[in-house]
Amino acid sequence: MLMIRLARVGARKQPYYRVVVIEKDRARNGRSIEVVGTYNPRTNPASIDLKRERIDYWTSKGAQFSDRVAKLVAQQPAAVAAA
């Protein structure tokens, strides 16, 4: 089963995340299939950069969101419409 979830990168106490498509039973930072975005919680407000067309493609193939990524995707259209 495929999941769209966060993979942590960045230095200690300075988190930065990649939004990745990955097999559900792989490790958090294991080999991913594709990077479909980034999330930086350290900026104010937090910066979210998602490739919506790739996310839509993978969800059509059966990939499911993790809880946190589902919230980020729900936030994203409002930010795009405001810009």
Side-chain angles (χ1 to χ4, degrees):
M1 171 186 254
L2 294 175
M3 291 290 292
I4 300 175
R5 65 184 189 202
L6 297 176
R8 188 176 195 266
V9 293
R12 194 182 78 178
K13 296 191 177 182
Q14 296 181 2
Y16 186 81
Y17 298 93
R18 289 182 183 147
V19 181
V20 297
V21 179
I22 193 169
E23 287 287 332
K24 183 173 182 157
D25 35 344
R26 286 205 187 266
R28 178 192 70 189
N29 291 341
R31 187 179 64 195
S32 61
I33 298 171
E34 183 178 358
V35 176
V36 293
T38 59
Y39 169 58
N40 186 358
R42 294 177 46 86
T43 59
N44 191 7
S47 61
I48 306 166
D49 180 31
L50 299 174
K51 299 176 187 172
R52 292 299 304 220
E53 59 279 349
R54 296 305 294 165
I55 291 173
D56 293 340
Y57 169 79
W58 284 110
T59 53
S60 72
K61 296 294 182 186
Q64 296 183 351
F65 295 120
S66 68
D67 293 339
R68 177 56 55 187
V69 172
K71 290 179 183 178
L72 294 176
V73 170
Q75 286 178 358
Q76 189 64 19
V80 171

